[in-house]
Amino acid sequence: MTAELSARSDALAYVHPDKSGLFAYVVSLADDSLIAAQRMGHWIAAAPQIEEDIALGNIALDLLGQARSLLTYAGQVEAAATGTPCDEDSLAYFRDERDFLNVHLVERGHGGPGGEPGSDFGVTMARLLILSTYQFGLYTALQSSTDETLAAIAAKAVKEVDYHRDHATMWVLRLGDGTAESHAKVQAALDAEWPYVEELFDNSYIDPSLLESRAAVDPSGLRDVWQRRVASVVDQATLTLPVVPPAVTGGRRGIHTEQMGFLLAEMQHLARSHPGATW
Amino acid sequence: MVNDVIERRRDAADLSTGEAPEVYDAVAGVLDPEVPVLTIEDLGILRDVREDANGHVHVQITPTYSGCPAMEAIRDDIVSALSKVGRTEVTVEFVLAPAWTTDWMSDAGKLKLREYGIAPPQPRDSQPRDDSPISLTLTVRCTLCGSPDTRELSRFGSTACKSLWVCNACKEPFDYFKAI
């Protein structure tokens, strides 16, 4: 009995000793998309109109697809290093909170548990504008990565996030330049999201050798173009760029907000309660 | 471009690798489960079919979108189509590079799409999109009445690869296969 239990917990536990190197870089890219997808999925069947329901579902699906490609690759990197099989599912479902390396921007609720009463569509769109503009710049640059797999995933993803950027842009323009109420709400949303922008451009967690070999993209170099692109939308939407100090974050080191645990509990409970379940 | 490669492969197939034409045809004839008038060859997602000396068939396909949920169904359909021509040793590999583009859809495929009621994708400029906040799309003709007077209702439709349009002339909604 004891032996059985310990074998089982070995199979389920996921422990990666260090958060550095190619594995950690790929996982950080994957986790941004995976957690953003999970959060956005809360809107399904709860969006303000059916077209939007479909749009948010599609965007979440694109993000999930990117996460799957990236986690599959991270699993191959990990398996090659440790000799232990590791796939997208073991990484998505059997890592604990401290092993997730996504930014805080994507894990927080949408002003309420997204899609639940109290969640704010303005927050969803302000955040999508921030995230998709960042991912567009990131994947554009990552297409030239010296790592062939990352370059291939990026070439695929850049076309998708470009659509997300268009979608967020159209909504931010419509809400910002809409009624006094929609203007005030989307401005408040932008103000609330803005402290989490800086973490996207932090390069301190990336193994310097990956930057040197140009396998990884240095996110700090994406900041200016990102700012210009977002500012142009914010300006046209008659909104104001927030001037706020950055939040204290730590996502790239596995330090997360309180809401992350709840998100993971929902995302992982089925796979953990019924290991190996298929349908 | 890739279609040319496959076309050439098809002509040279039985000479270069010894694979029987029915092997290629079985794979190429598999239908996209979400747009069941298009074969995976029409769609341009079939990248390679090879049969090795041991009779093991290797197929490469590429996803339209990263999250396309049809890929696993397509893999199963390929395995099943090959078993009908007596090939049971099959490996279906998903390849990501180069990234799929709607420009690889065959002309025959575009015609079939239109007849099915989905506006086919327009040719995509090979240049990267510019920095304007909203990129322009040429007019998409209504698949029902042919009017160019249409508007986009939603950039996202019933599947990842389609957007939802409505015709201002006949008022009917229709799908447009997004150019990417």
Side-chain angles (χ1 to χ4, degrees):
Chain A
M1 183 67 188
T2 312
E4 252 181 57
L5 270 179
S6 92
R8 186 181 139 117
S9 69
D10 281 352
L12 297 186
Y14 173 82
V15 181
H16 189 78
D18 78 296
K19 296 185 174 76
S20 65
L22 181 61
F23 175 80
Y25 179 64
V26 179
V27 162
S28 71
L29 301 181
D31 287 348
D32 284 352
S33 287
L34 177 65
I35 302 303
Q38 178 70 16
R39 201 43 100 183
M40 193 157 281
H42 284 124
W43 277 111
I44 293 169
Q49 60 192 44
I50 190 154
E51 289 82 3
E52 203 46 39
D53 211 292
I54 293 167
L56 293 172
N58 268 299
I59 291 171
L61 188 62
D62 284 343
L63 290 167
L64 184 64
Q66 293 156 18
R68 289 188 61 183
S69 296
L70 289 162
L71 286 179
T72 298
Y73 181 44
Q76 290 162 357
V77 171
E78 177 78 348
T82 62
T84 314
C86 181
D87 67 5
E88 51 172 329
D89 285 350
S90 57
L91 290 172
Y93 296 128
F94 296 104
R95 270 184 303 158
D96 286 335
E97 183 177 320
R98 294 292 288 265
D99 290 313
F100 276 82
L101 303 182
N102 55 280
V103 290
H104 286 193
L105 178 78
V106 297
E107 73 192 40
R108 294 151 43 252
H110 291 224
E116 299 291 321
S119 61
D120 184 335
F121 185 70
V123 169
T124 302
M125 284 305 139
R127 186 180 303 177
L128 185 62
L129 180 69
I130 290 169
L131 178 69
S132 61
T133 307
Y134 157 77
Q135 287 188 319
F136 181 72
L138 170 76
Y139 289 135
T140 300
L142 198 64
Q143 289 180 94
S144 318
S145 169
T146 51
D147 183 304
E148 281 178 19
T149 308
L150 285 180
I153 293 170
K156 186 98 217 127
V158 70
K159 300 180 183 194
E160 296 160 1
V161 297
D162 197 14
Y163 259 96
H164 306 173
R165 190 165 72 106
D166 266 358
H167 192 73
T169 296
M170 287 193 295
W171 269 112
V172 169
L173 291 177
R174 202 177 303 170
L175 295 172
D177 200 10
T179 64
E181 169 89 4
S182 70
H183 177 95
K185 287 179 92 166
V186 77
Q187 181 68 57
L190 206 55
D191 293 347
E193 294 307 295
W194 211 260
Y196 298 93
V197 163
E198 290 312 321
E199 191 180 16
L200 291 168
F201 302 103
D202 169 26
N203 63 3
S204 63
Y205 75 101
I206 303 175
D207 187 331
S209 70
L210 293 175
L211 295 173
E212 239 165 73
S213 68
R214 295 177 174 227
V217 169
D218 185 345
S220 66
L222 306 171
R223 183 72 167 87
D224 290 348
V225 178
W226 178 89
Q227 178 91 16
R228 208 183 65 228
R229 285 175 175 151
V230 172
S232 120
V233 176
V234 167
D235 192 47
Q236 281 187 63
T238 74
L239 297 164
T240 312
L241 275 185
V243 181
V244 288
V248 175
T249 54
R252 301 300 192 201
R253 288 176 287 113
I255 311 294
H256 294 284
T257 61
E258 185 185 352
Q259 297 174 70
M260 180 71 169
F262 292 95
L263 180 148
L264 289 181
E266 189 173 69
M267 187 176 90
Q268 296 180 327
H269 89 266
L270 183 73
R272 291 189 180 214
S273 306
H274 306 278
T278 56
W279 56 88
Chain B
M1 181 178 60
V2 160
N3 279 339
D4 290 349
V5 172
I6 291 177
E7 223 32 69
R8 280 202 303 277
R9 279 206 51 73
R10 185 175 198 173
D11 293 341
D14 42 0
L15 295 174
S16 62
T17 62
E19 86 200 8
E22 73 260 23
V23 169
Y24 181 88
D25 290 343
V27 177
V30 167
L31 296 172
D32 176 349
E34 285 178 351
V35 189
V37 288
L38 289 187
T39 65
I40 57 174
E41 185 188 38
D42 290 332
L43 196 54
I45 65 170
L46 177 59
R47 302 293 267 279
D48 196 25
V49 183
R50 271 182 308 112
E51 183 172 16
D52 66 22
N54 305 321
H56 191 117
V57 181
H58 301 262
V59 179
Q60 287 191 337
I61 53 177
T62 191
T64 53
Y65 284 76
S66 302
C68 179
M71 293 308 283
E72 270 129 45
I74 292 172
R75 169 164 51 194
D76 293 346
D77 289 348
I78 289 172
V79 171
S80 147
L82 282 169
S83 77
K84 287 183 187 142
V85 293
R87 303 305 192 282
T88 50
E89 294 294 313
V90 179
T91 306
V92 180
E93 192 191 347
F94 297 154
V95 291
L96 288 174
W100 178 80
T101 156
T102 38
D103 290 347
W104 294 347
M105 189 182 289
S106 68
D107 290 341
K110 286 179 184 168
L111 271 175
K112 286 191 231 173
L113 260 192
R114 185 181 293 284
E115 282 164 15
Y116 187 60
I118 300 172
Q122 286 158 349
R124 190 175 162 278
D125 193 343
S126 57
Q127 298 303 309
R129 312 251 304 261
D130 65 22
D131 256 352
S132 65
I134 298 176
S135 46
L136 292 175
T137 308
L138 298 172
T139 298
V140 174
R141 282 185 181 272
C142 172
T143 53
L144 294 150
C145 74
S147 168
D149 182 15
T150 58
R151 68 193 159 85
E152 187 181 66
L153 202 59
S154 171
R155 297 178 80 74
F156 297 88
S158 54
T159 63
C161 53
K162 287 177 281 184
S163 56
L164 193 58
W165 285 60
V166 66
C167 177
N168 292 328
C170 73
K171 312 294 181 197
E172 289 290 336
F174 63 96
D175 278 336
Y176 167 60
F177 206 107
K178 293 189 284 200
I180 67 162

